[in-house]
Amino acid sequence: MPATTTVAQYLDSLPTAQREIADRLLPLVEAALPGRGAVWHGHPVWSLGAAPGKNPVCFLKSYAGHLTFGFWRGQEFAVPSGRLAPGSRTMASVKLRSAAEVDTALFADWLARARGLEQLPA
């Protein structure tokens, strides 16, 4: 994948099947984290901090056969879906191979939980 500098460029560079997945995810992510996306370490990351990677909430990363959509604190979600696979530290993610795998209600719930975990004190 060529180097990209914006989320839109990254998404535009995806193969068709992965772009369809991203097209289902992006409205959900933007509803939860409007305008908070940036390319960080080569892929889109949505954060609550003032700079990319500060208080990161979720990410999207392309691989040869799937897109990974994950959360920095996904292992802290109290959700019984069984779809999030644990990763390093407290991260968790799901591998998506088709747009049909994006359950909008479930993903919106995950995003709300993830954002809530990253809320900064008032």
Side-chain angles (χ1 to χ4, degrees):
M1 175 172 290
T4 59
T5 58
T6 68
V7 172
Q9 288 173 329
Y10 185 93
L11 299 178
D12 287 344
S13 72
L14 295 174
T16 301
Q18 291 185 4
R19 179 59 202 219
E20 290 170 359
I21 296 166
D23 286 347
R24 295 262 326 246
L25 287 171
L26 194 58
L28 302 172
V29 175
E30 283 298 319
L33 300 158
R36 306 303 288 182
V39 173
W40 188 49
H41 294 289
H43 58 88
V45 173
W46 288 266
S47 304
L48 288 176
K54 299 295 180 187
N55 298 94
V57 176
C58 63
F59 67 91
L60 182 69
K61 189 167 183 179
S62 174
Y63 291 92
H66 67 276
L67 275 184
T68 293
F69 184 59
F71 301 92
W72 258 258
R73 296 177 65 186
Q75 290 182 41
E76 296 178 40
F77 297 175
V79 293
S81 73
R83 292 195 54 199
L84 287 172
S88 63
R89 298 184 192 111
T90 61
M91 296 178 88
S93 63
V94 59
K95 293 179 181 179
L96 301 166
R97 291 174 179 81
S98 77
E101 293 178 310
V102 178
D103 175 334
T104 55
L106 177 62
F107 282 53
D109 179 62
W110 288 346
L111 284 157
R113 291 171 188 270
R115 183 182 170 111
L117 288 171
E118 294 298 337
Q119 287 294 338
L120 301 174

